[in-house]
Amino acid sequence: MSYQIRSINDLQEEIFRLKTLESHQSAALKARVSSPSAIFSSVMSLFPRSVDSDGVRSSGLFHPDIINLVSRFVIPLTLNKTLFRNSNFLVKTLVGLVSQKASNYVNEDSVSGIWGTVKGLFEKFTKKKSKDEYKPEPYKKPVAGPVV
């Protein structure tokens, strides 16, 4: 602190300066978290983002870093609660370590591929015939002539 306080007036000026600084900073902070989108962007800034091959940071919902982060927790938790429910501590620890390594292979492409496959299966069962697929037979002139 380079500012020296030598009298009561200097102290009062410094208190006033700090109070105005506090009011400006509180107004800026309120403006930053005033809307839901501002809060969401603040939360999303906590997650790291990697640079793509083009040198551009992507910001999609299925970002590989977010999916990897979620899969590091979801895969071991799911396996230990379902398949390895009655296993001992060592087996659960090994499952956790192996699934941490396996979560590196879970990325946007694999999730999108699985989603496309599931979506295709549901479309196959719920597909309705469109009007374009229905084609009536063309008109055939009677062989014996017109019927009277």
Side-chain angles (χ1 to χ4, degrees):
M1 193 168 144
S2 64
Y3 185 70
Q4 298 272 334
I5 298 175
R6 298 180 188 212
S7 67
I8 189 76
N9 290 334
D10 292 343
L11 181 61
Q12 289 174 344
E13 287 176 6
E14 185 65 19
I15 290 172
F16 179 73
R17 185 186 71 81
L18 290 174
K19 285 186 179 182
T20 55
L21 182 65
E22 178 190 16
S23 65
H24 288 302
Q25 288 178 348
S26 66
L29 186 61
K30 285 180 185 176
R32 183 169 182 183
V33 294
S34 63
S35 67
S37 63
I39 294 170
F40 183 72
S41 65
S42 297
V43 170
M44 290 303 291
S45 67
L46 297 174
F47 295 108
R49 295 185 180 184
S50 64
V51 177
D52 292 342
S53 61
D54 297 337
V56 178
R57 292 183 185 267
S58 62
S59 60
L61 178 62
F62 289 116
H63 195 274
D65 289 341
I66 293 173
I67 291 177
N68 283 342
L69 181 68
V70 170
S71 67
R72 285 178 187 262
F73 295 109
V74 171
I75 293 173
L77 185 70
T78 307
L79 288 175
N80 285 331
K81 293 292 181 182
T82 57
L83 295 177
F84 300 105
R85 179 176 293 234
N86 296 324
S87 299
N88 60 10
F89 176 74
L90 291 175
V91 171
K92 288 187 177 188
T93 305
L94 289 174
V95 166
L97 291 173
V98 170
S99 61
Q100 290 271 332
K101 294 294 182 182
S103 69
N104 290 331
Y105 297 106
V106 177
N107 57 15
E108 180 181 1
D109 296 333
S110 63
V111 171
S112 298
I114 292 171
W115 178 253
T117 304
V118 170
K119 187 177 170 184
L121 288 174
F122 280 111
E123 284 178 354
K124 186 188 301 183
F125 292 116
T126 60
K127 185 177 179 182
K128 295 181 180 177
K129 274 193 170 181
S130 66
K131 293 179 181 178
D132 297 335
E133 291 181 14
Y134 175 72
K135 293 182 181 178
E137 291 186 23
Y139 175 73
K140 293 182 182 177
K141 194 173 188 181
V143 179
V147 179
V148 187

